[in-house]
Amino acid sequence: MAAITALAVALGGCSSPPRPTPTVATPASTSPRPTPDGPTARPGATPPGAGGLPGFVVLTDVDPRIHADIRYATAHNFVGRPITGYREPLCLLTRQAAEALRRVQDAALAGGHRLKVYDCYRPQPAVDDFVAWSKRPGEQQTKAEFYPDVPKDRLFADGYIGAPTAHSRGSTMDLTLVDEPAASQPPYRPGQSLVACTAPRAQRFPDNSIDMGTGFDCFDARAHTDDPRITGAARDNRRLLRRLMTDAGFVNYDREWWHYRLRDEPYPDTFFSAPVARSSVG
């Protein structure tokens, strides 16, 4: 599932790595498990003539009005460090998904909001990094914020993290709404005191998102889009985001209020491995 302040990213720096050929991530078993990305993810064929990420774009090139807070390129995520494959804090998406988000942004602005993305395309090596991390029980630096009430060894079994993931197909994103104009957001400081993602908004990390009832990447049932414990403004905000996204052709994963997939995605069976970097898009 799992899906999460701009910080300096140690991976990749300003170098321009060669453009790798996209590969298909093969699940460990021959019967892929359902993932927190809607339908069961299936391995498929790499598109003919593929370069790095064929047909992908940098979202802010398509619509600079959309904010980006790419958590997996920073230490502010459930692992507690930058994730393998996130060389730059960018949102990469298929052009079809990016153009659909531009339509969502138009509609959101009419109501006084902007979109903010936390994660977009996620390379298969990042998913492999999550799997490897899950097997190291001693690494729980950010448990107090992201999974305060769930044992780490249950995160995959309970469906909070999935492998493979629809994010690797390039038309899935994690996002929220912020007011227009957006409030400032203080940077995350590694080592700072952590507050549970389920705490009241005034107590948890001061994300400038409008109140959605929990923080992003909150591994808790209260992050389910229609959890009955989420009421009032937070419930209304989740419904607003879902309406805006659904109207533009996206499908919500009902266990994560922030997670949406383009219904008619161009690569429904392909999982790419190129890094999150501007040099990966054509």
Side-chain angles (χ1 to χ4, degrees):
M1 159 179 169
I4 303 191
T5 351
L7 297 176
V9 180
L11 299 178
C14 297
S15 62
S16 297
R19 295 174 53 154
T21 300
T23 60
V24 177
T26 303
S29 68
T30 56
S31 299
R33 296 168 48 195
T35 72
D37 300 293
T40 300
R42 304 179 306 280
T46 301
L53 294 171
F56 281 56
V57 295
V58 178
L59 175 61
T60 50
D61 289 351
V62 174
D63 194 334
R65 301 170 300 176
I66 299 175
H67 297 271
D69 181 4
I70 308 301
R71 296 288 183 87
Y72 297 149
T74 79
H76 191 203
N77 56 62
F78 66 89
V79 175
R81 57 165 171 76
I83 304 303
T84 299
Y86 284 79
R87 295 183 174 176
E88 298 177 55
L90 297 172
C91 171
L92 307 185
L93 289 171
T94 61
R95 180 170 292 279
Q96 293 91 327
E99 291 179 348
L101 276 189
R102 180 167 56 190
R103 295 193 294 273
V104 178
Q105 179 63 89
D106 289 338
L109 276 175
H113 300 102
R114 290 199 192 202
L115 297 175
K116 182 173 81 166
V117 290
Y118 295 113
D119 190 38
C120 300
Y121 161 68
R122 184 183 306 163
Q124 182 59 37
V127 180
D128 297 340
D129 195 4
F130 289 161
V131 173
W133 169 84
S134 73
K135 298 176 181 178
R136 298 191 289 268
E139 296 183 14
Q140 302 193 49
Q141 295 95 316
T142 58
K143 174 177 172 57
E145 179 175 354
F146 294 99
Y147 52 108
D149 300 317
V150 180
K152 179 180 177 179
D153 62 7
R154 295 297 307 173
L155 294 180
F156 269 88
D158 291 352
Y160 289 110
I161 311 172
T165 173
H167 280 277
S168 299
R169 305 197 298 257
S171 296
T172 294
M173 69 291 304
D174 299 332
L175 79 172
T176 189
L177 293 167
V178 298
D179 286 325
E180 172 60 26
S184 62
Q185 177 176 305
Y188 170 78
R189 301 184 309 279
Q192 72 183 57
S193 296
L194 301 178
V195 178
C197 57
T198 55
R201 184 189 186 199
Q203 298 176 24
R204 59 182 188 259
F205 177 78
D207 190 313
N208 63 359
S209 168
I210 62 177
D211 187 14
M212 293 292 187
T214 75
F216 163 64
D217 252 5
C218 189
F219 299 155
D220 189 276
R222 280 165 283 196
H224 296 185
T225 307
D226 290 317
D227 189 279
R229 290 168 291 181
I230 305 302
T231 60
R235 177 192 58 201
D236 294 343
N237 290 338
R238 290 185 183 189
R239 290 176 176 176
L240 171 61
L241 178 61
R242 182 167 57 188
R243 177 177 61 79
L244 291 169
M245 295 295 286
T246 301
D247 287 350
F250 291 94
V251 179
N252 175 238
Y253 172 54
D254 62 4
R255 298 185 68 178
E256 296 177 353
W257 60 257
W258 54 81
H259 182 111
Y260 286 85
R261 173 183 57 85
L262 185 65
R263 180 180 292 108
D264 297 322
E265 57 183 307
Y267 298 125
D269 301 301
T270 306
F271 303 89
F272 295 97
S273 294
V276 177
R278 183 171 289 276
S279 59
S280 293
V281 301

